Amino acid sequence: MSNLRPALLALLFVAGCGSEKTNSPTNPAKPIDTPEAAAPPSAPPPGVGTVMPGSGPESFVGRWAADVDWCPYARGPERPIEITPTRFEGFMNSCAISSITQIEGGYDAALVCEAEGVSSREQVRMAVKGQSMRLTWLNRDGAVVSLIKCTTLTDTTTTPTPLTGTNR
């Protein structure tokens, strides 16, 4: 009986705690109404773009080729560039998108790339109009590449009208 007494006391002590009610899923808690909860979201830290990796717009996400005939190929030098919200994958390089900033007419992206064991940093501007992208390599003297979006083979049998203007 003496061994049972501490266990009973501990049970009574725990049973006395937590007399507050918890809300069930069908009876949610009231919203927090404090100045901190009503404050607008803070601005991103300096050097961080307005759009972070993983939340990039659908306009530039996809497979893009300089020639529509490259669209069916997954490997080799004549294959599309594959762009996701976090990656920029080409034939000779694999890049992480470290930041994306929305600008008038497109997006500037900072890339951290790896090609044949060598790391580099690239800056690109992506301006999309319909199924065409004007890709400008900002740190390569503004070199421009016109790309066509690869969707399905039947969608990529004709070349769309090229973009006009500089978007700079």
Side-chain angles (χ1 to χ4, degrees):
M1 182 78 172
S2 63
N3 287 344
L4 192 56
R5 188 174 291 159
L8 286 173
L9 286 173
L11 182 62
L12 287 173
F13 178 74
V14 171
C17 295
S19 61
E20 299 174 8
K21 288 186 173 183
T22 58
N23 294 334
S24 69
T26 58
N27 184 22
K30 292 180 183 174
I32 298 172
D33 190 22
T34 65
E36 294 83 14
S42 61
V48 175
T50 56
V51 180
M52 292 302 296
S55 62
E58 293 180 15
S59 65
F60 62 77
V61 171
R63 297 173 66 242
W64 299 89
D67 184 324
V68 72
D69 291 335
W70 298 359
C71 289
Y73 302 110
R75 298 175 194 240
E78 295 178 344
R79 60 161 265 198
I81 295 170
E82 295 179 34
I83 303 173
T84 71
T86 59
R87 304 290 308 165
F88 187 101
E89 303 288 337
F91 168 60
M92 296 291 289
N93 58 0
S94 177
C95 307
I97 298 175
S98 60
S99 69
I100 302 170
T101 304
Q102 186 171 0
I103 59 164
E104 186 176 335
Y107 295 87
D108 284 352
L111 310 176
V112 179
C113 301
E114 179 86 17
E116 298 180 356
V118 178
S119 295
S120 66
R121 293 189 175 273
E122 301 281 353
Q123 297 285 326
V124 296
R125 176 167 293 149
M126 299 175 285
V128 176
K129 184 175 181 182
Q131 297 293 307
S132 298
M133 178 191 293
R134 180 183 174 93
L135 181 67
T136 306
W137 295 91
L138 300 174
N139 58 334
R140 295 184 188 178
D141 296 324
V144 175
V145 179
S146 294
L147 301 171
I148 300 161
K149 190 166 193 173
C150 300
T151 50
T152 65
L153 292 179
T154 57
D155 291 340
T156 56
T157 56
T158 60
T159 304
T161 306
L163 292 172
T164 58
T166 59
N167 290 327
R168 286 186 118 188

